Amino acid sequence: MDTSKLFSLQGRTALVTGGSRGIGRMIAAGFVAQGAKVYISSRKADACDETAAELGPNCIALPQDISTVEGARNLAARYGEVEDRLDILVNNAGAAWGVPFEEFPEHGWDKVMDLNVKSPFFLTQALHPALKAAGSAARPAKVINITSIDGLRLNPWDTYSYHASKSALIYLTKRLAARLIRDHINVTSIAPGAFASEMNRAARDHGDEVAKGIPAKRIGEAEDMAGTAIFLASRAGDYIVGDTIVCDGGLVNAALGTSIDA
């Protein structure tokens, strides 16, 4: 058994949404380091261009707002103008909204559900021909949805639509996997825990305090997220289908509950 190229992404093409910062950037950087040609997309063109310049010539900016079905289809069309196949799609773009239950607004619900659930479905649908062109029984194409541990457990904040959206995306991952496997496209998801990002400002701004509640006693680092994504995207992850890998330092699966004595 030759494992020297097991995690290589040499010659592969990838598209990472929300790739200009946070978890998307971590994944894009990891893919580039493993030899992939990576397109990153976000709604802010300047941030997209800046990140692409920092990650080098194998990272190309493809800015687009995908919060609507039209936007998702526009991104797929723009990608199709430069590439005729897609080996790896990472659906990472997302939003959160936290407001007390009594005040939670409809637009906060819709924004989160649209970007976190609707957009991954319709972008995958729009890119299906390119993914299908890349996939084979020997080397399947990959769709990796970035979900969250908040789709598996509760956090203490009033993020009702975020909880619902990430739980929905975990289950949508399974349903898409069941359909797309016939086209040699493997669909999986990663459920991150505490990683420093604009969306997770607690981890970003108070990492030492957040780490106290995590069994591993630290927040996630870029290498943790990149490594998980590289595993799923590479030959090493070719037999993983429909599953969600939790990358959280043990918070979901290795944290003990509390007991109240009677």
Side-chain angles (χ1 to χ4, degrees), residues 109-190:
W109 182 273
D110 290 345
K111 177 181 178 178
V112 171
M113 294 298 287
D114 283 352
L115 187 56
N116 293 5
V117 185
K118 192 174 182 179
S119 290
F121 177 84
F122 284 101
L123 182 58
T124 303
Q125 182 191 66
L127 287 166
H128 180 231
L131 289 160
K132 189 174 180 179
S136 68
R139 197 72 191 271
K142 307 292 180 67
V143 176
I144 303 171
N145 295 322
I146 305 304
T147 55
S148 172
I149 61 171
D150 290 350
L152 298 165
R153 65 182 290 279
L154 297 177
N155 70 45
W157 303 298
D158 290 308
T159 52
Y160 301 98
S161 53
Y162 187 76
H163 273 103
S165 70
K166 292 303 184 178
S167 183
L169 187 55
I170 287 171
Y171 211 87
L172 180 60
T173 295
K174 295 177 182 289
R175 188 61 187 88
L176 286 173
R179 166 59 185 85
L180 297 183
I181 188 69
R182 74 177 73 163
D183 297 324
H184 306 303
I185 303 166
N186 290 5
V187 186
T188 56
S189 98
I190 301 171

Side-chain angles (χ1 to χ4, degrees), residues 49-114:
D49 291 339
E50 182 180 347
T51 296
E54 291 172 354
L55 295 185
N58 279 338
C59 185
I60 302 100
L62 207 60
Q64 178 68 51
D65 183 349
I66 60 167
S67 61
T68 65
V69 174
E70 180 183 9
R73 290 173 176 165
N74 285 343
L75 176 57
R78 293 182 63 198
Y79 179 84
E81 293 173 358
V82 292
E83 301 282 352
D84 59 3
R85 49 193 284 148
L86 177 62
D87 296 293
I88 307 153
L89 169 63
V90 179
N91 286 311
N92 168 71
W97 200 286
V99 175
F101 170 72
E102 295 84 356
E103 304 165 19
F104 203 94
E106 183 181 7
H107 68 273
W109 182 273
D110 290 345
K111 177 181 178 178
V112 171
M113 294 298 287
D114 283 352

Side-chain angles (χ1 to χ4, degrees), residues 222-240:
E223 291 81 359
D224 299 314
M225 183 51 55
T228 305
I230 289 166
F231 164 63
L232 289 175
S234 68
R235 168 63 185 91
D238 279 0
Y239 211 54
I240 310 298

Side-chain angles (χ1 to χ4, degrees), residues 6 19 39 42 80 132 199 212 247 249:
L6 201 56
Y39 291 84
S42 72
K132 189 174 180 179
M199 189 174 294
K212 294 176 183 178
C247 185

